[in-house]
Amino acid sequence: MNSKILFNILFYVFAIILAIYFTVSIFSSSVFTQTISSSIVEVSSVDDYIVIDGIALRNETLLMADSSFQSIRYLPEDGSRIAKNSIYAYYNEQGISNDQTVKLAALNRKMTRLNDTIGKSTQYDIFTVEQNIKESIISYLNRSYADEFSVSSKEFEQVQSAFDQRLLQQEGPAYIKDVVKSLKSEISQIYSESGLSEKILYAPSAGYFYSKADGYEYINMNDYETPTVSSFRTLMEQKQENISNLCVGKIQHYSYWAFLSLVPSEYVSDLYVGKTVYLEFTIPDVGSKKISTTVEYISRAQDGQNVVRFRCGTLTADLFGLRKESPHMILKTYTGLEVNNEALRVVDGQTGVYVISAQRIIFKPVDVVYVSDEFSLVSSKANTGDRVLKAKDEIIIGGKDLFDGKIVNVTKYD
């Protein structure tokens, strides 16, 4: 047999084998492979916690108007720091509509902001002004996206201040002063139309302002620096005092507050003075909020419980309303890659998941960090190579007779 005939035979045999391979691959992928579901791996975290009952304590002074009033407008926002003898509110013995109250508050905020802009000694060039605008907008959007609404309003004021700086840079101080004069005129117009005669309220001391009161302001946190289990129980039984109709809010004097709680002694063994502990509170109209605290004091045990005093330096407006609460005390936080429990399987003695890559599957071994009824948090057991499980990997949910290299059809979850 000459070489040309041999070459032709080998060529046709190779072509037939290649055709059979592609035919089987296409046919098997469309007929024999099972249709399965998949999900995307995401980084997630889960808290292990206990629920504790306690009370928030502060050093506070109630704020009072000099006489009864029909309306009041505040200059600072809740949670803002105010100076001693500064003006914090105007009130009227006569009535005023809600629309007028809102308009007056907005006009006064704008006037104060513009006066601050004129009073600043630093004048920025146009490049710095534009950069400040950009950064303030990004900061505001990030706060809003994170649902930090009590802080985002302040961020929005910073956005407006940044635009005021550009207006000052473009038009000059004289123009800003004319705008302020116009604002004063609008305020006077509202007073004239409503027959208003506003009275001024001055802060009796420096501190952090809050426009509401709950009747527990008489309890001073300095009186409970070293509470016992018995004194804590007595504290929790104390009743709210009646709030005077002249009360217009309160001032918290310190930049921190305390949360006293009973903690089962079995969990106290892991605590010590100075340790950072996260407490998660449920706040109306806000949702759950996790804040960092420091263990400040631990009492002696009594009846299998200890009083723990937590110190907190977070002063957002929504936290000023906390008093008798049942927060989650976070014991431990587990972080890992979240996978559906039905995606976990054991292959050759190793726990892992099947990951889809170009319609073929590859087994990736994992270590299980945390298990719940529906999902698990895992970490990759492989350190390098294509066996490393990563966020955004597409893993197979359920299925059977799976193996490395198998071709699969996938139905993705919505």
Side-chain angles (χ1 to χ4, degrees):
M1 183 179 298
N2 60 43
S3 59
K4 185 175 181 180
I5 295 174
L6 180 61
F7 174 80
N8 288 337
I9 292 173
L10 292 176
F11 174 79
Y12 286 118
V13 169
F14 177 76
I16 291 170
I17 293 173
L18 195 61
I20 292 173
Y21 172 79
F22 281 111
T23 300
V24 171
S25 295
I26 295 172
F27 185 71
S28 62
S29 64
S30 60
V31 177
F32 292 110
T33 58
Q34 55 186 308
T35 299
I36 59 177
S37 300
S38 70
S39 66
I40 301 300
V41 174
E42 300 287 355
V43 176
S44 183
S45 62
V46 176
D47 293 325
D48 186 12
Y49 65 86
I50 60 170
V51 178
I52 57 176
D53 296 323
I55 183 170
L57 298 182
R58 308 176 186 87
N59 186 315
E60 300 168 312
T61 296
L62 289 175
L63 299 172
M64 299 291 179
D66 298 325
S67 59
S68 60
F69 56 90
Q70 295 295 319
S71 62
I72 185 169
R73 60 186 179 91
Y74 299 100
L75 297 186
E77 294 183 347
D78 285 345
S80 299
R81 183 170 178 80
I82 57 176
K84 183 178 180 179
N85 297 325
S86 63
I87 298 173
Y88 70 88
Y90 294 90
Y91 71 97
N92 294 277
E93 294 175 341
Q94 300 170 334
I96 181 174
S97 68
N98 288 334
D99 289 343
Q100 288 174 319
T101 301
V102 171
K103 189 171 183 180
L104 280 173
L107 291 172
N108 276 282
R109 281 199 304 271
K110 185 174 182 180
M111 187 168 63
T112 301
R113 199 178 65 243
L114 289 174
N115 281 329
D116 288 343
T117 300
I118 297 174
K120 289 179 179 177
S121 59
T122 304
Q123 298 295 319
Y124 300 108
D125 56 56
I126 189 62
F127 175 79
T128 304
V129 167
E130 296 297 336
Q131 186 66 25
N132 288 342
I133 290 174
K134 178 181 177 182
E135 291 176 356
S136 62
I137 290 174
I138 291 173
S139 180
Y140 168 70
L141 293 175
N142 286 339
R143 291 283 193 179
S144 299
Y145 180 76
D147 291 338
E148 297 182 26
F149 298 112
S150 61
V151 182
S152 63
S153 59
K154 298 177 185 178
E155 300 287 342
F156 185 66
E157 284 289 322
Q158 292 180 7
V159 173
Q160 292 178 311
S161 295
F163 277 102
D164 290 341
Q165 275 288 338
R166 184 167 70 179
L167 189 64
L168 175 64
Q169 202 271 347
Q170 292 175 338
E171 303 293 341
Y175 176 82
I176 302 295
K177 289 178 181 178
D178 286 341
V179 174
V180 171
K181 184 185 292 186
S182 175
L183 293 173
K184 289 181 179 179
S185 177
E186 284 190 65
I187 292 173
S188 298
Q189 179 80 18
I190 293 175
Y191 291 162
S192 176
E193 291 174 354
S194 306
L196 296 176
S197 177
E198 287 193 310
K199 293 187 176 182
I200 301 174
L201 290 175
Y202 297 93
S205 60
Y208 298 87
F209 173 75
Y210 188 60
S211 60
K212 301 178 183 64
D214 59 16
Y216 288 106
E217 285 75 18
Y218 70 94
I219 303 176
N220 193 312
M221 72 174 178
N222 292 341
D223 295 334
Y224 294 90
E225 292 183 344
T226 58
T228 63
V229 172
S230 297
S231 66
F232 172 83
R233 287 172 176 161
T234 301
L235 170 63
M236 292 294 285
E237 292 174 356
Q238 294 194 45
K239 305 299 182 182
Q240 295 170 276
E241 289 187 339
N242 292 326
I243 303 297
S244 168
N245 291 332
L246 299 181
C247 181
V248 295
K250 61 186 176 183
I251 289 178
Q252 177 179 317
H253 299 288
Y254 295 157
S255 60
Y256 64 92
W257 51 281
F259 188 77
L260 268 61
S261 179
L262 275 186
V263 179
S265 299
E266 60 185 292
Y267 298 103
V268 172
S269 59
D270 292 329
L271 301 180
Y272 54 86
V273 173
K275 181 176 182 178
T276 298
V277 176
Y278 283 91
L279 301 181
E280 185 173 24
F281 294 89
T282 299
I283 302 173
D285 302 323
V286 174
S288 61
K289 188 165 188 175
K290 190 187 298 184
I291 62 172
S292 174
T293 70
T294 302
V295 176
E296 199 170 31
Y297 166 81
I298 302 173
S299 76
R300 289 186 176 181
Q302 181 180 333
D303 301 328
Q305 293 180 309
N306 301 69
V307 179
V308 179
R309 175 171 161 137
F310 301 94
R311 176 187 173 116
C312 178
T314 304
L315 290 175
T316 56
D318 44 31
L319 296 179
F320 274 84
L322 297 178
R323 190 61 76 177
K324 291 185 178 180
E325 309 292 337
S326 299
H328 294 171
M329 187 180 86
I330 308 303
L331 303 176
K332 187 174 182 179
T333 298
Y334 300 90
T335 302
L337 300 169
E338 183 177 326
V339 300
N340 189 296
N341 284 339
E342 292 186 21
L344 290 173
R345 59 203 79 226
V346 178
V347 177
D348 296 332
Q350 283 190 319
T351 300
V353 295
Y354 280 112
V355 175
I356 301 170
S357 177
Q359 284 194 297
R360 295 181 183 276
I361 61 175
I362 180 173
F363 182 76
K364 295 190 176 184
V366 299
D367 287 318
V368 178
V369 177
Y370 175 88
V371 179
S372 72
D373 291 339
E374 297 181 354
F375 68 88
S376 296
L377 297 183
V378 304
S379 62
S380 178
K381 201 166 187 177
N383 297 320
T384 59
D386 59 359
R387 300 285 178 178
V388 178
L389 183 66
K390 305 180 294 294
K392 305 304 178 184
D393 275 350
E394 185 178 2
I395 59 174
I396 293 176
I397 307 296
K400 58 183 179 179
D401 299 327
L402 302 178
F403 53 85
D404 275 357
K406 183 174 182 178
I407 300 173
V408 293
N409 292 325
V410 179
T411 301
K412 297 182 181 179
Y413 285 150
D414 294 332

